[in-house]
Amino acid sequence: MSAVEPESVPAAVDPAAPDPVAELTSIRQSIDNIDAAVIHMLAERFKYTQRVGYLKASAGMPAADPNREQVQVARLRQLAAESHLDPAFAEKFLNFIVAEVIHHHERIAGGAK
Ligand SMILES: O=C(O)C(=O)C[C@]1(C(=O)O)C=C[C@@H](O)C=C1
């Protein structure tokens, strides 16, 4: 089944909701697809930040860059607002990821593989 076929459009757009169980199953398929995409995107992001960790360690740069984070937070808060997502959540989500990245950077700088 192609993702562009009409029957793959979430039934949530149908106010009649003739079959709640079928609609729930369909929505859960889309949620699972989105969750998979998030994991794949995070894996790619961490591949890049791993490289950043090695670059910073080799140049003697600190693991964290608060100025860069400030710019990222402002940008993501703006994007979130435009997308009707809670900006506070977007900021928390970024901070959660960046904290993990900094932890990785510190391990790299400390000589851990
Ligand atoms: O851009 C950097 O300098 C990074 O180390 C990457 C990153 C990020 O994950 O986006 C992580 C830590 C820094 O404090 C800022 C940003």
Side-chain angles (χ1 to χ4, degrees), residues 64-81:
D65 183 339
N67 291 333
R68 165 72 175 151
E69 288 176 33
Q70 219 181 335
V71 172
Q72 288 170 290
V73 165
R75 178 172 173 267
L76 287 199
R77 287 188 66 101
Q78 177 72 32
L79 285 172

Side-chain angles (χ1 to χ4, degrees), residues 5 29 33-35 43 51 54 58 68 73 75 81 96 110:
E5 283 174 21
Q29 281 176 353
N33 286 345
I34 292 165
D35 288 348
R51 179 66 188 150
Y54 282 104
S58 68
R68 165 72 175 151
V73 165
R75 178 172 173 267
F96 179 68

Side-chain angles (χ1 to χ4, degrees), residues 45 49 52 56 63-66 68-69 72 97-98 101-102 105:
R45 192 183 196 284
T49 56
V52 170
K56 284 185 163 181
D65 183 339
R68 165 72 175 151
E69 288 176 33
Q72 288 170 290
I97 293 167
V98 167
V101 170
I102 290 170
H105 287 356

